[in-house]
């Protein structure tokens, strides 16, 4: 398959379609607080943020897994792990099971998310690469918004049903399986030509990257505070329902 193929682009961009989909269940916090009345508010909110810890672990092991399985199977593994553990709270209602499933959901996200960038930077020539990196962020924002609006309807059924939104991870699983060839695992594009990846080159970083990482750490901290507290504030102050809060999250992403 040609690296300028729209079908290949679709398959790779689909990895980013649900890039931050864990936020889709932020609106369930008030309902979970009521359901887990014997558990502290902080521990209930932990169910929403614990995937972030899992993402950190998944990101660390992603490279190791990729070295063994290759990019394609690593992406599929991460997507499948996120799908399976993402929907568990819809069927198991005890706190330890949900806590573990949310942590493992984050691990799955951490496994495949880094490769959504490396696929683009390795496989496509510079002109297409720069465009796709911009599209990647847009696709992620659109996907997150769609999931949040769907979650806003599911939450009217029950907070358990909201977690069924993660079934949409089937979409990138199918698209990657069909449209992203395995041969691209060890290929990079230089001057428009495919060459074998040099595995002897070790990844490195610099001060500028570290500064940006610290900046975005604070951006994520503030955003997390909104996702944790907005739904509870709206319900407790009788401003709106948990479903209304979920829809607001959707507009916030857009």
């Amino acid at each position: 398959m040609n690296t300028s193929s729209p079908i290949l682009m679709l398959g790779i961009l689909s990895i980013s379609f649900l890039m931050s989909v864990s936020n889709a269940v932020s609106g369930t916090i008030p309902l979970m607080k009521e359901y887990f009345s014997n558990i502290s508010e902080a521990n209930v909110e932990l169910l929403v943020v614990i995937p972030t810890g899992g993402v950190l672990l998944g990101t660390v092991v992603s490279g190791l897994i990729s070295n063994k399985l290759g990019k394609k199977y690593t992406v599929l593994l991460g997507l499948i792990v996120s799908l399976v553990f993402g929907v568990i709270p819809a069927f198991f209602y005890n706190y330890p099971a949900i806590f573990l499933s949310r942590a493992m959901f984050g691990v799955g996200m951490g496994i495949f998310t880094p490769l959504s960038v490396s696929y683009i930077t390795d496989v496509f020539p510079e002109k297409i690469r720069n465009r796709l990196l911009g599209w990647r962020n847009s696709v992620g924002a659109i996907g997150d918004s769609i999931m949040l609006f769907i979650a806003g309807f599911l939450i009217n059924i029950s907070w358990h049903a909201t977690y069924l939104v993660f079934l949409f991870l089937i979409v990138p699983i199918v698209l990657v399986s069909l449209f992203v060839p395995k041969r691209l695992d060890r290929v990079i594009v230089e001057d428009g030509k495919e060459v074998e990846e040099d595995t002897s080159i070790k990844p490195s970083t610099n001060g500028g990257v570290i500064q940006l990482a610290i900046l975005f750490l604070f951006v994520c901290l503030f955003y997390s505070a909104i996702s944790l507290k907005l739904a509870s504030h709206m319900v407790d102050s009788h401003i709106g329902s948990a479903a209304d809060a979920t829809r607001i999250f959707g507009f916030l992403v857009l």
Side-chain angles (χ1 to χ4, degrees):
M1 183 181 293
N2 192 294
T3 55
S4 61
S5 166
I7 293 179
L8 175 61
M9 294 181 192
L10 174 65
I12 291 177
L13 286 175
S14 72
I15 304 172
S16 304
F17 184 65
L18 303 175
M19 196 163 47
S20 302
V21 73
S22 60
N23 293 325
V25 296
S26 297
T28 62
I29 291 177
L31 301 178
M32 287 196 295
K33 286 178 181 177
E34 183 179 344
Y35 185 85
F36 295 114
S37 57
N38 60 327
I39 295 175
S40 68
E41 178 178 326
N43 283 336
V44 173
E45 291 176 345
L46 188 59
L47 294 176
V48 175
V49 298
I50 192 60
T52 304
V55 167
L56 293 175
L57 176 59
T59 302
V60 170
V61 302
S62 178
L64 299 175
I65 298 174
S66 182
N67 289 337
K68 298 291 185 182
L69 302 181
K71 291 179 184 176
K72 178 172 181 174
Y73 290 157
T74 301
V75 168
L76 290 175
L77 174 64
L79 289 168
I80 292 170
V81 168
S82 293
L83 169 63
V84 172
F85 286 98
V87 301
I88 280 180
F91 307 102
F92 296 90
Y93 304 159
N94 66 83
Y95 183 88
I98 295 176
F99 181 89
L100 178 61
S101 69
R102 295 290 290 156
M104 289 303 300
F105 171 83
V107 171
M109 295 286 289
I111 289 173
F112 74 77
T113 299
L115 294 175
S116 67
V117 176
S118 62
Y119 253 128
I120 294 174
T121 56
D122 290 347
V123 171
F124 297 98
E126 184 176 2
K127 185 176 181 180
I128 298 176
R129 178 194 311 155
N130 294 336
R131 187 166 70 245
L132 288 181
L133 287 173
W135 286 359
R136 172 183 177 270
N137 293 323
S138 299
V139 166
I142 292 171
D144 293 347
S145 297
I146 292 173
M147 294 303 98
L148 282 160
F149 287 124
I150 293 174
F153 291 103
L154 291 174
I155 203 171
N156 289 319
I157 301 173
S158 70
W159 68 264
H160 308 293
T162 309
Y163 287 86
L164 293 175
V165 74
F166 297 125
L167 288 173
F168 279 87
L169 285 163
I170 293 173
V171 174
I173 289 173
V174 171
L175 292 179
V176 171
S177 298
L178 294 178
F179 301 144
V180 180
K182 187 76 170 63
R183 69 176 180 82
L184 296 180
D185 283 1
R186 302 297 181 187
V187 166
I188 60 174
V189 173
E190 294 180 353
D191 300 324
K193 298 181 180 179
E194 294 183 16
V195 297
E196 193 74 17
E197 183 179 13
D198 186 357
T199 56
S200 65
I201 299 177
K202 302 299 181 182
S204 61
T205 187
N206 56 49
V209 171
I210 294 172
Q211 290 174 15
L212 285 173
I214 294 172
L215 172 63
F216 283 108
L217 169 66
F218 283 99
V219 172
C220 292
L221 283 174
F222 292 127
Y223 184 82
S224 296
I226 296 173
S227 64
L228 276 178
K229 295 298 184 181
L230 179 61
S232 296
H233 174 67
M234 288 182 62
V235 173
D236 295 343
S237 303
H238 307 291
I239 297 173
S241 66
D244 294 329
T246 302
R247 296 187 188 101
I248 289 175
F249 287 135
F251 284 111
L252 178 63
V253 173
L254 285 175

